[in-house]
Amino acid sequence: MATGKKKSTRAGTKRASGRGQLAPSKSSRGLSAAEVAVALDSPEVAQLVQLVGAAGGAALGAYREPLGGRTLLLASLPLAAVQPTPFQRDLSPTHAKRLAAAIEQTAAFLDPLIVVRGEDGRLWTPNGRHRLAAAKVLGLKQITALICPDESLAYRILALNTEKAHNLKDRSLEVIRMAHSLVKRRGREPENTFAAEFEAAELITLGMVYEKSPRFAGGAYSAFLKKVDRFSERSLSASLAQRKDYAARLLEIDTRVKSIIAALQARGFKSPYLRNYVVARINPVRFHKSKKGDASPAMPLPQALTRMAAAARTFNVGSVSNSDLAWVAVGAGSSES
């Protein structure tokens, strides 16, 4: 027994010592220093230099980013020349003011904006809305930017935006705004070709719901949708039309959920987890566990919504007990830690 304890202790120590360590790649890739350097008079950046000059800015330097080899231009731009992409999340004035105060305190605006050449030659930033607003609060004349000629980068907001953590509503609204923008020009392409831009299929559906109901409690339905919502092989325009129906059905279910919550509150239940509890009870795939590597949905989304709506209509308020809610609270607490 003592030997067994020693072995398990050593194993535990070994595992603990490896925590937080990253194994470097066995092979190197990317560009060398000579390949990274680009002269400002190079034809590669001639159009970008001209664009910056026309905007009232100044080109500062150029290089190829060392992973994919994209040519980037470092430039100083007037604040008025840069706009956030039209499908970004709404500005948080509180965060922008807090960011401005922090920049003022350090007396240095160090992080350049990522800027892409958007529609009609406009300059868009996919990840700097709050830094741009903070610069305006501070009254800056110019802002430093890394300009990329690749417009598709404007649709990688979720991957690029690091200045303010996205919540579920932020992510969903940005995704549906991107979808509305992309469908105008690339609506015939299959929806699943935009998986990298949209990140997760359920964000499109939730985005449509949030557009109709900004106060929708999407977090309560997120686990359900993750199990049943997948990118479609249909065209983006056809898929968005179908998702409009899914969003309407989800809102109808939520209306019923609200009435169930009101009935429970009338019976004296005051738990903050009432919505989570009700949605979990009517979730038709709550016990489904996918096999490792299986990305198929637990059931088709239309079928799942039909069953969820039926469960909401037949929900028995009298079957709810305080012990049920206690278990939900324990689950919520463990998921938040």
Side-chain angles (χ1 to χ4, degrees):
M1 290 293 290
T3 305
K5 284 183 180 179
K6 285 181 181 178
K7 284 183 179 179
S8 62
T9 303
R10 289 195 198 103
T13 304
K14 201 171 186 178
R15 284 194 298 270
S17 63
R19 288 176 185 169
Q21 296 181 4
L22 293 174
S25 174
K26 294 180 180 178
S27 60
S28 61
R29 58 175 178 159
L31 307 183
S32 65
E35 292 170 319
V36 167
V38 175
L40 271 178
D41 58 358
S42 169
E44 289 182 62
V45 293
Q47 287 187 341
L48 288 181
V49 171
Q50 185 177 3
L51 183 66
V52 168
L60 305 176
Y63 67 97
R64 298 180 192 92
E65 53 89 8
L67 180 61
R70 287 186 182 89
T71 302
L72 303 175
L73 182 71
L74 180 66
S76 178
L77 290 167
L79 260 64
V82 184
Q83 300 296 326
T85 50
F87 28 79
Q88 274 194 61
R89 60 181 161 185
D90 297 332
L91 178 74
S92 167
T94 301
H95 178 71
K97 290 175 184 175
R98 188 180 300 125
L99 188 59
I103 295 169
E104 180 80 78
Q105 195 172 31
T106 59
F109 202 113
L110 298 175
D111 295 331
L113 303 185
I114 304 298
V115 171
V116 299
R117 184 169 50 191
E119 296 174 4
D120 303 324
R122 287 176 292 178
L123 294 171
W124 283 351
T125 176
N127 80 326
R129 180 166 204 157
H130 288 90
R131 272 175 291 159
L132 189 64
K136 291 178 181 178
V137 170
L138 293 168
L140 294 184
K141 297 177 182 178
Q142 299 266 322
I143 197 163
T144 311
L146 275 176
I147 307 176
C148 178
D150 184 3
E151 183 188 336
S152 67
L153 209 60
Y155 294 90
R156 299 305 306 276
I157 299 172
L158 298 180
L160 288 172
N161 203 314
T162 57
E163 66 184 25
K164 180 177 182 287
H166 284 69
N167 58 35
L168 183 62
K169 182 179 178 180
D170 286 338
R171 293 167 68 204
S172 302
L173 284 173
E174 286 189 355
V175 164
I176 192 57
R177 289 167 184 170
M178 282 193 282
H180 289 325
S181 176
L182 285 166
V183 77
K184 296 174 184 177
R185 295 175 292 123
R186 300 171 63 186
R188 294 183 180 181
E189 296 181 37
E191 183 188 70
N192 58 12
T193 62
F194 301 102
E197 287 83 355
F198 297 155
E199 193 171 285
E202 69 271 9
L203 295 178
I204 312 174
T205 305
L206 282 171
M208 285 188 165
V209 178
Y210 279 120
E211 283 184 321
K212 294 289 185 183
S213 179
R215 295 179 66 84
F216 179 70
Y221 296 89
S222 180
F224 160 70
L225 288 172
K226 282 180 180 178
K227 290 187 177 182
V228 296
D229 202 346
R230 297 293 183 271
F231 289 115
S232 172
E233 295 181 357
R234 302 178 66 186
S235 69
L236 180 60
S237 58
S239 181
L240 289 183
Q242 189 176 49
R243 287 183 182 279
K244 189 175 181 181
D245 174 65
Y246 297 158
R249 293 173 66 182
L250 201 57
L251 279 171
E252 289 176 5
I253 291 169
D254 192 55
T255 298
R256 178 58 187 164
V257 167
K258 288 177 182 176
S259 67
I260 294 171
I261 293 171
L264 289 171
Q265 289 173 335
R267 293 186 63 225
F269 291 100
K270 303 298 181 184
S271 170
Y273 302 104
L274 282 176
R275 184 183 298 276
N276 298 68
Y277 170 75
V278 174
V279 173
R281 275 276 300 267
I282 64 175
N283 180 357
V285 294
R286 65 186 182 279
F287 298 122
H288 176 83
K289 290 186 178 180
S290 298
K291 294 180 181 178
K292 189 175 181 179
D294 183 10
S296 59
M299 70 173 60
L301 180 54
Q303 180 185 348
L305 289 170
T306 298
R307 292 182 60 177
M308 192 177 218
R313 286 193 298 271
T314 59
F315 191 95
N316 181 6
V317 175
S319 67
V320 179
S321 67
N322 281 313
S323 59
D324 293 333
L325 294 173
W327 279 110
V328 174
V330 170
S334 62
S335 64
E336 290 166 1
S337 60

